[in-house]
């Protein structure tokens, strides 16, 4: 069936034409609003994250034995950890706070991997990527001496 232009065929005249234009303008305005809201959301997403530290093997030359605390945010995930260093090795990682939607499995797996490998550069947990990265970043920031807990 060929395309019939409502203006050319005279189907839309008078009030129907203005209703059509009003509805079209409203749809366009809704699109513009949706794009604006999405843009603001992604802008906020970028602003709400902790800068990513360089992760890697634990360098015991710069960290003395003690307990260190670090936090990292990769919006909407936030992780706060306490890292115990004994004999110049990461001995224990306690997660003090972990705000997440789906990343719960990372709480058990990532600290164990970091301790085993003595590195904050470990594989993420499938389905919990942001939580995994937030925990690794928090541990790295703690190790870098963000704040020493007495």
């Amino acid at each position: 069936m060929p395309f019939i232009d409502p203006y050319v065929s005279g189907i839309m005249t008078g009030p129907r034409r203005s209703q059509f234009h009003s509805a079209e303008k409203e749809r366009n305005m809704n699109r513009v609003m949706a794009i604006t809201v999405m843009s603001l959301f992604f802008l906020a997403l970028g602003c709400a994250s902790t800068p990513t530290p360089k992760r890697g093997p634990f360098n015991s030359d710069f960290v003395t034995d003690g307990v260190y605390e670090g936090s990292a945010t990769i919006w909407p995930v936030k992780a706060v950890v306490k890292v115990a260093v004994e004999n110049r090795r990461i001995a224990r990682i306690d997660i003090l706070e972990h705000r997440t939607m789906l990343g719960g499995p990372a709480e058990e797996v990532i600290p164990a991997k970091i301790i085993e490998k003595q590195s904050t550069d470990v594989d993420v947990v499938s389905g919990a990527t942001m939580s995994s990265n937030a925990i690794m970043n928090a541990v790295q920031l703690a190790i870098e001496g963000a704040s020493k807990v007495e």
Side-chain angles (χ1 to χ4, degrees):
M1 180 170 172
F3 174 74
I4 300 174
D5 187 339
Y7 297 112
V8 175
S9 66
I11 295 172
M12 266 196 215
T13 57
R16 287 195 71 200
R17 183 179 293 177
S18 65
Q19 285 176 344
F20 178 77
H21 283 301
S22 295
E24 188 174 15
K25 284 180 185 178
E26 187 174 340
R27 280 192 300 276
N28 288 338
M29 185 57 109
N30 288 342
R31 284 186 196 120
V32 168
M33 289 298 291
I35 290 169
T36 303
V37 168
M38 286 175 30
S39 299
L40 290 173
F41 172 76
F42 287 116
L43 179 66
L45 179 68
C47 295
S49 297
T50 305
T52 305
K54 183 170 172 44
R55 296 191 304 240
F58 176 64
N59 188 348
S60 62
D61 295 339
F62 299 106
V63 180
T64 59
D65 290 357
V67 179
Y68 300 87
E69 193 172 301
S71 69
T73 303
I74 302 175
W75 194 86
V77 178
K78 179 179 181 184
V80 179
V81 299
K82 190 182 284 188
V83 180
V85 177
E86 297 172 2
N87 299 321
R88 295 192 174 265
R89 292 182 51 81
I90 300 172
R92 190 178 71 250
I93 299 170
D94 296 322
I95 297 179
L96 305 177
E97 179 183 353
H98 182 212
R99 281 189 284 156
T100 183
M101 294 166 64
L102 303 172
E107 290 181 17
E108 299 167 16
V109 176
I110 296 300
K113 285 183 176 183
I114 291 172
I115 292 169
E116 178 186 336
K117 195 173 176 185
Q118 290 295 302
S119 174
T120 53
D121 189 18
V122 297
D123 291 336
V124 299
V125 175
S126 179
T129 302
M130 290 191 340
S131 287
S132 299
N133 284 323
I135 293 168
M136 286 186 275
N137 290 352
V139 170
Q140 182 65 42
L141 290 170
I143 290 170
E144 290 175 359
S147 62
K148 186 171 182 178
V149 179
E150 297 297 328

